[in-house]
Amino acid sequence: MIYTVTLNPALDKTVEIPSLTVDSVNRITAMRTDPGGKGINVSKVIKKLGGQSIAAGILGGATGRTICSALEAMEIKTGFRFVEGETRTNLKVIDPVNHTNTDLNEPGITVSEEILNGLLQELLLEVNQGDIVVLSGSLPKGSPKDTYAVWVKACKKAGAKVILDADGELLEEGLKASPYLIKPNNHELSALLGEKLETPKELEKAARGLMEQYAIEKIVVSMGGAGALYITQKETLYAEGLKVPVKSTVGAGDSVVAALAVSEEAQKSLEETVRLSTACGAANVMCSGTQAAEYETIAELLPKVIYRKL
């Protein structure tokens, strides 16, 4: 089973405003709402890929109930802990004329370490040997900075493979517990190492340094439209970015993580993983907001994926 953990979820409201202008009245031409937060986005895509997952995390108030109901309507199993307070609503502003995506994110619920530990213990009662746990996204206010390190260590002890998708200090701390797989983008990897990494060779060298230092099995480095690197202990594959019409880049990385989790569970080869992840990420930027692409769209892109050994 795949478990996704979203400790700071949100209701994502996506609006389109052609020629967005600061300090002026703007007219919304389209709008949609989706249950969001990185782990939740991963679960939505897993469902479209024909897989099963359990979405866990922390929710509060009417917004939290709306998110839970929406996921249940999608037939996604949930394991949320409800707490006092109101789950945040995040506004995603897409300007189709200027081709920009602007996020306005609320801070969300404040939680205690006791609440986090309670959710972790509930998760550990369910996780079995060979399961996959995806830890991704920001942390709610009140969370210790080593939260992901604690969760990685506990889930590994339970026999799970942990995929960590975080950045900044959260990634830096989480690495200390040696997750099975991480998925930084090129900017996050550069920031982590304190140097500007641009070429695939530079990114691969940096990633391999992390693999050796923290005993990580696999690293995927996404580079936006330029593609991605898929690095294992034995080899590296570079996948070119697919040229597709872009509606929203929000959630594209989560789509890649979903494909990685599904591929890991099915024990797909690295080549199959590269094809599915690349197609999945491209298909989802063709969608509005954090809506998950239909599998038919992903399947159409699979034969178009170009990759090579680095």
Side-chain angles (χ1 to χ4, degrees):
M1 177 59 72
I2 301 171
Y3 295 84
T4 66
V5 178
T6 312
L7 297 177
N8 198 23
L11 186 65
D12 287 337
K13 179 180 288 186
T14 304
V15 299
E16 287 191 13
I17 303 178
S19 301
L20 175 68
T21 306
V22 176
D23 200 23
S24 178
V25 175
N26 292 274
R27 305 294 181 186
I28 294 172
T29 57
M31 182 176 72
R32 65 173 292 120
T33 57
D34 300 282
K38 293 180 72 64
I40 287 174
N41 293 338
V42 172
S43 278
K44 291 187 296 185
V45 177
I46 288 173
K47 183 67 178 179
K48 294 295 186 181
L49 291 173
Q52 295 291 327
S53 70
I54 296 176
I58 296 172
L59 293 174
T63 305
R65 290 191 291 273
T66 297
I67 289 173
C68 200
S69 296
L71 291 173
E72 290 171 354
M74 297 176 191
E75 299 183 340
I76 294 173
K77 296 179 181 179
T78 61
F80 289 100
R81 170 171 278 216
F82 273 80
V83 300
E84 292 184 5
E86 192 74 28
T87 294
R88 60 189 180 145
T89 298
N90 290 343
L91 182 63
K92 317 289 185 183
V93 184
I94 299 172
D95 183 342
V97 175
N98 293 315
H99 306 290
T100 60
N101 290 269
T102 304
D103 290 1
L104 302 173
N105 294 345
E106 294 181 4
I109 295 171
T110 299
V111 303
S112 65
E113 194 168 353
E114 182 181 2
I115 289 172
L116 291 170
N117 288 337
L119 179 61
L120 175 57
Q121 294 309 313
E122 290 173 6
L123 177 65
L124 294 175
L125 289 175
E126 302 295 328
V127 171
N128 294 305
Q129 185 75 32
D131 286 342
I132 296 168
V133 177
V134 178
L135 304 175
S136 55
S138 62
L139 297 180
K141 291 183 294 182
S143 305
K145 66 178 184 179
D146 67 344
T147 294
Y148 278 147
V150 171
W151 283 60
V152 170
K153 185 176 180 180
C155 292
K156 283 175 58 181
K157 188 175 180 180
K161 293 180 178 179
V162 182
I163 297 175
L164 176 62
D165 183 16
D167 63 359
E169 191 174 43
L170 300 183
L171 174 59
E172 187 175 357
E173 288 294 323
L175 285 172
K176 296 175 183 178
S178 301
Y180 178 79
L181 184 153
I182 61 172
K183 194 212 69 65
N185 62 35
N186 51 334
H187 304 297
E188 291 164 351
L189 188 57
S190 294
L192 180 67
L193 297 178
E195 56 182 297
K196 191 172 183 179
L197 305 168
E198 296 180 315
T199 68
K201 279 290 187 184
E202 290 173 343
L203 290 164
E204 182 201 23
K205 182 180 179 181
R208 289 206 173 275
L210 290 179
M211 292 178 82
E212 183 176 348
Q213 182 178 357
Y214 295 106
I216 300 168
E217 291 294 324
K218 299 178 181 180
I219 297 180
V220 176
V221 183
S222 55
M223 298 180 286
L229 295 171
Y230 294 78
I231 305 162
T232 69
Q233 296 286 344
K234 295 182 178 179
E235 61 182 323
T236 298
L237 294 183
Y238 166 66
E240 298 180 11
L242 289 171
K243 305 301 181 184
V244 297
V246 177
K247 285 191 175 180
S248 172
T249 57
V250 179
D254 304 327
S255 303
V256 172
V257 171
L260 293 172
V262 168
S263 297
E264 191 66 45
E265 185 179 49
Q267 297 183 328
K268 291 181 180 292
S269 67
L270 182 58
E271 289 78 6
E272 292 173 314
T273 300
V274 169
R275 289 192 194 97
L276 183 62
S277 300
T278 305
C280 203
N284 277 275
V285 302
M286 297 166 66
C287 298
S288 177
T290 53
Q291 176 186 10
E294 297 297 331
Y295 182 71
E296 290 75 14
T297 303
I298 298 169
E300 289 176 2
L301 294 174
L302 285 171
K304 300 179 181 179
V305 176
I306 298 173
Y307 62 90
R308 64 178 182 272
K309 285 191 176 183
L310 200 65

